[in-house]
Amino acid sequence: MRKTRLDIDRIRAARRAIDPIFLDTPLYRCEALEPGLGCAVSIKLETANPVRSFKGRGTEVIASRLADSGERAVVCASAGNLGQALAWSGRGRGLDVTVVASRFAPAAKLDRIRALGAKLELVDGDFDMARERAAALARNDGIRLVEDSLDIETCEGAATVGLELVRATPTFDAVLIALGGGALATGVGRVVKAMAPGVEVICVQPLGAPAMTHSWRERRVVTTDSTNTIADGVAGRRPIPAVLDDLLLVADDAVLVRETSIIAGMRMLLDHAGLVVEPSAALGIAAILEDRDRFAGRHVVTIVCGSNVDVDAYHRWVGAAGAAGAAPASAAGAAPAGGS
């Protein structure tokens, strides 16, 4: 295949920089989900760690390299999960971490960033506005800016999930990956296409935050003016060109799913797998729900990528799913925008 920015040897090396608490996460067949989905489903569970998402894999690589080089301060923009992960990884290595986020981000994520010792700055806008502010802080203060998905460490850290997937027995036919900025999709996709090329790599994004999917389909960067989805972790408006280039090489498909399907997926993961997940983590299940015929008779892996969710909002969403099959985004409290 043509080369992406991601290197398999560097991905293998990244494992050595990552705290083992983030590695070798559970991968198991969840038969209880299968009657409702019509296919064999395995779950790769990326929530059983101190930051409750896969983001710690990438921030461990970044923080390790920063500490080794003698740097002592770092800033990032985040919708919550990256900020928590960088705060956790930085705290253990003596780094001063600043996180810029939208004040509309889930309160649970913001509270956890503060609890982990990072300085938190809030902006009156969405994730892309936070990204601009973080870049300004980095320039003004002369400190390292971490840009999720653009910084190769975030992608190659996330790619270690793929190393674990391709070792799986039995093998699987397709992997469903939440698509936001692209670190997880490009990382896992790179490994899967290099080491298990027969596996279909399918990226999933909300219909209310379609910029990266439209960009993949049109093979050029497509931006949107706004987002409208409860899946705040994948709700960026401005794809990064270099990340899109990588995605074009490793993704077989990119699909959009409705808010009702996301909520129904969250409810299924609660009822049949005992998992409380954030909306982004239910995108894979949502994709199966919307296209059962495509997956019928196949073995599909879905990466459950995060469980940082506001408790009150979660109860509204899953309660709506149980009472009426799902609720529209406007009724469910859709976030105005988001990111990593």
Side-chain angles (χ1 to χ4, degrees):
M1 60 182 295
R2 287 184 293 153
K3 286 188 175 182
T4 74
R5 296 179 305 144
L6 289 83
D7 179 80
I8 295 296
D9 289 336
R10 288 201 311 263
I11 293 166
R12 291 193 178 103
R15 276 185 61 93
R16 298 193 288 272
I18 299 171
D19 190 306
I21 202 165
F22 295 105
L23 298 173
D24 300 313
T25 52
L27 172 64
Y28 59 95
R29 177 102 174 254
C30 189
E31 295 185 29
L33 283 170
E34 295 175 1
L37 296 175
C39 61
V41 180
S42 287
I43 286 173
K44 180 63 168 164
L45 188 63
E46 290 295 308
T47 64
N49 62 58
V51 299
R52 300 197 298 192
S53 82
F54 77 95
K55 296 289 186 181
R57 293 180 184 251
T59 59
E60 280 290 281
V61 180
I62 289 172
S64 175
R65 293 177 182 173
L66 287 175
D68 288 347
S69 67
E71 295 192 52
R72 286 291 172 260
V74 62
V75 59
C76 75
S78 176
N81 285 351
L82 179 72
Q84 289 180 70
L86 189 60
W88 192 91
S89 296
R91 184 180 65 177
R93 293 172 175 84
L95 299 175
D96 293 327
V97 177
T98 299
V99 178
V100 184
S102 167
R103 67 177 65 256
F104 304 110
K109 294 182 179 182
L110 300 180
D111 289 344
R112 185 61 179 156
I113 290 169
R114 295 187 185 98
L116 287 167
K119 177 184 176 182
L120 181 63
E121 180 174 323
L122 300 178
V123 297
D124 292 317
D126 62 8
F127 169 75
D128 288 294
M129 182 179 289
R131 193 162 69 179
E132 292 171 1
R133 175 57 181 162
L137 287 175
R139 288 193 303 270
N140 294 338
D141 298 341
I143 61 176
R144 168 67 185 271
L145 171 67
V146 172
E147 293 190 80
D148 195 28
S149 303
L150 178 60
D151 285 0
I152 201 66
E153 299 98 330
T154 62
C155 302
E156 291 181 342
T160 60
V161 175
L163 293 178
E164 295 164 22
L165 286 177
V166 297
R167 296 199 307 258
T169 302
T171 58
F172 49 95
D173 302 306
V175 57
L176 294 164
I177 311 172
L179 178 60
L184 186 63
T186 59
V188 173
R190 174 68 174 96
V191 173
V192 169
K193 285 306 172 188
M195 303 176 71
V199 173
E200 189 177 18
V201 174
I202 304 170
C203 304
V204 190
Q205 199 165 40
L207 191 62
M212 186 63 99
T213 296
H214 287 330
S215 298
W216 182 87
R217 291 175 179 176
E218 297 189 25
R219 305 187 69 84
R220 64 178 181 87
V221 170
V222 177
T223 63
T224 60
D225 293 331
S226 63
T227 62
N228 184 25
T229 178
I230 63 172
D232 61 285
V234 295
R237 296 185 288 110
R238 303 172 187 169
I240 299 169
V243 182
L244 175 61
D245 290 343
D246 289 341
L247 191 68
L248 289 170
L249 294 174
V250 302
D252 294 302
D253 200 3
V255 301
L256 298 171
V257 295
R258 298 184 298 271
E259 299 294 292
T260 52
S261 300
I262 297 171
I263 296 169
M266 294 171 69
R267 182 58 182 263
M268 288 190 73
L269 286 165
L270 175 64
D271 289 348
H272 302 299
L275 298 174
V276 174
V277 305
E278 61 188 84
S280 300
L283 287 170
I285 300 298
I288 302 172
L289 287 171
E290 292 203 1
D291 198 355
R292 286 182 174 87
D293 289 345
R294 175 177 186 171
F295 299 103
R298 305 176 73 191
H299 183 186
V300 179
V301 172
T302 183
I303 301 173
V304 175
C305 55
S307 63
N308 291 298
V309 62
D310 179 84
V311 173
D312 291 338
Y314 181 84
H315 286 309
R316 290 197 305 273
W317 298 330
V318 298
S330 57
S340 303

